[in-house]
Amino acid sequence: MDCSDPASKKAKAEAGCAITRKPRILLGACGSVGAVKFGHVCRCFAEWAEVRAVVTKSSLCFIDEQTFPKDVVVFCDKHEWLTWKKLGDPVMHIELLRWAEIMVIAPLSANTLGKIAGGLCDNLLTCIVRAWDYSKPLFVAPSMNSIVWRNPFTERHCTEIDELGITLIPPVTHTTASGDFEHGAMAEPSTISSTVRVFYVLKMQKK
Amino acid sequence: MAGSEPVSAEGESMAVDAAPRKPRILLAASGSVAAVKFANLCHCFSEWADVRAVSSSGSLHFIDRASMPKDVILYTDEDEWSSWKKLGDSVLHIELRKWADIMVIAPLSANTLGKIAGGLCDNLLTCIVRAWDYSKPFFVAPAMNTLMWNNPFTERHFISIDELGISLIPPVTKRLACGDYGNGAMAEPSTIYSTVRLFYESKAQQGRAVVTLR
């Protein structure tokens, strides 16, 4: 059985050393202009955490892979079934979910927000979210045009994800890539990193 | 109208020959590892019913087409618009919906469950569901890993589809309990087949009883 295999035993052993080990953070990026900063987001987190990254197909339009830290492994949809050939083989979204202690989606697009709010799971990133264990923290930093942000669905979807237990790192008043000067731009990478880090440190102190 | 004549004729023949005709079962698979058992499921039903099959693009990764029964046509998304050239031509998901007496989705993935619950219809399978006539029976056998099963959305979505009139063939809980996320959840093909057949035959008896009373 999978639950008794060596990987599980190793995971349990490592869990015992949680305080002295770097936290494992899974970063996700969606198809939004804010994804141009994803490499920077990864660098901010890599300074204090062990990082793996998951990107959607649409986000690849904006992400410059050359800006990624060298020690960050990036997963995309094509990796989902690379490891699966027959029954019993590992499934990527489950493996990543088990590995991660914290998940941060930055940027979160309007499309992925809608999918998460509706429980859809049609790619690697949304499959991880759909299976997420909410005893572990999940943060999202939305990024969308201000007109999209003001659409009634946004508030409805944000309410849905809040009820799930997802923590929102709000967008900022900024000049977006499309020229609007209003709410909608993703929070700064340094803000996202420090928000999550403070949360993590406080959580560790409680243990 | 010319377009409605064939359908009417077919309907009439169905009414006259309802008892001796094989039931028409539309089997569908969505993108879950349990789809490796879809061919076996088609074999089970083929022994008793006239079967057509639909697969989502995600399920094709797991279905071994070579092991499908030879008399079962497997439709995929690319077939959806192959018969349509101009207004008035037939649309595949509507034709399949008309043809089928019963629909069974096995395995039903978490993603397709979410789509059905939300009324989304972005592929052949979900278009058929969206158009389904709920005076005809509709069964789903979900399959997802334990972690997805435990997510609050699962219960919420099941409530939605139950309200639609979809019957649930529950997953095998002992496999879920041990955390096996590979294939475990879906009920056995033989269980799915016997559940649907028992339902169909009990309904057929009710139908005959009504006729007798008249």
Side-chain angles (χ1 to χ4, degrees), chain A residues 94-95 116 118 121 130 160, chain B residues 111 145 148 151 154 156 181:
Chain A
I94 299 303
E95 294 303 304
I116 293 174
C121 38
R130 178 66 168 80
E160 288 281 353
Chain B
N111 188 41
N145 64 73
M148 286 193 176
N151 185 282
T154 305
R156 193 187 307 186
Y181 58 80

Side-chain angles (χ1 to χ4, degrees), chain B residues 65-133:
Chain B
R65 296 216 209 191
S67 59
M68 292 284 290
K70 289 172 184 173
D71 58 342
V72 172
I73 306 171
L74 177 65
Y75 297 94
T76 61
D77 293 343
E78 59 195 22
D79 299 308
E80 169 78 290
W81 300 106
S82 59
S83 61
W84 197 92
K85 298 292 187 295
K86 63 187 188 301
L87 290 179
D89 288 349
S90 62
V91 175
L92 183 55
H93 65 265
I94 299 300
E95 294 303 306
L96 288 171
R97 179 264 202 199
K98 288 177 178 176
W99 174 88
D101 295 317
I102 300 173
M103 184 167 187
V104 182
I105 304 181
L108 173 72
S109 67
N111 188 41
T112 296
L113 170 63
K115 287 181 183 178
I116 294 174
L120 300 180
C121 37
D122 62 354
N123 60 26
L124 176 59
L125 169 56
T126 50
C127 281
I128 297 168
V129 176
R130 189 71 164 80
W132 188 253
D133 169 8

Side-chain angles (χ1 to χ4, degrees), chain A residues 124-142:
Chain A
L124 179 57
L125 176 63
T126 51
C127 278
I128 294 168
V129 176
R130 178 66 168 80
W132 188 254
D133 170 8
Y134 285 96
S135 68
K136 302 193 279 189
L138 201 169
F139 294 84
V140 297

